[in-house]
Amino acid sequence: MAALSVITLVLLVFMLIFYAYLANYSEHDVSFFLSVGLILIVMNLCTNASGTFGLSWLYLVVAVLFLGLGFAVDRHEATEFYKSIGPWFKATFSDAALLGWKALSLIVFPAGIACYFAMYKGKPALARTCGKCGIWGLILWAVVLWAILGLAL
């Protein structure tokens, strides 16, 4: 059941990314889906912390249902989202030097935030990339730590 809870957490994060894309590129209002997704992530993490994994099935059903409803909201933009995943991976992982800075900033988020302030004057594009990855790293570490502590304790 703990594995289902972690899979559901990953699926809920993917659902949030999907609806954030729709919010930016579609003319439809998807704020309901985004807010319910955020609430479900927090509820999933709290459920993991309490050790009652039975609710993970509910979160899984809602996440799959919402991913399917994304096509009902805007079929064209939902299709474009899935088409954009491949080029995003290619653009993200093709530049080895930039990939190193991104990985460092994501894994060691204080270094990413420090690189942002240190390189802002000289290399603003690299500084913004390090800063973004540093902030995402902070969020990622918080969620992973919450999930691990919730499952372990």
Side-chain angles (χ1 to χ4, degrees):
M1 289 301 278
L4 175 68
S5 179
V6 172
I7 291 168
T8 303
L9 184 64
V10 170
L11 191 61
L12 285 169
V13 169
F14 179 76
M15 182 192 73
L16 276 179
I17 294 169
F18 174 64
Y19 278 106
Y21 179 89
L22 286 181
N24 286 331
Y25 293 103
S26 177
E27 295 180 6
H28 300 284
D29 183 24
V30 293
S31 60
F32 169 76
F33 298 106
L34 286 171
S35 61
V36 170
L38 285 172
I39 291 169
L40 286 178
I41 284 178
V42 172
M43 286 175 59
N44 190 1
L45 289 169
C46 291
T47 301
N48 294 348
S50 69
T52 55
F53 300 113
L55 287 175
S56 296
W57 288 104
L58 173 68
Y59 306 141
L60 179 69
V61 168
V62 171
V64 170
L65 179 70
F66 276 16
L67 284 172
L69 285 175
F71 286 96
V73 170
D74 194 339
R75 180 178 302 258
H76 174 70
E77 290 302 329
T79 306
E80 290 298 317
F81 169 75
Y82 288 108
K83 285 182 186 176
S84 71
I85 292 174
W88 178 82
F89 270 103
K90 184 177 179 185
T92 301
F93 297 110
S94 63
D95 188 5
L98 192 59
L99 179 62
W101 284 106
K102 287 180 180 180
L104 172 73
S105 299
L106 185 70
I107 295 169
V108 186
F109 66 88
I113 296 169
C115 286
Y116 171 76
F117 290 112
M119 293 187 285
Y120 188 72
K121 296 276 184 184
K123 299 176 184 177
L126 180 60
R128 279 192 299 276
T129 301
C130 288
K132 285 180 192 176
C133 288
I135 297 298
W136 281 111
L138 175 67
I139 294 168
L140 177 73
W141 275 107
V143 169
V144 166
L145 187 64
W146 192 355
I148 290 172
L149 289 177
L151 292 173
L153 299 178

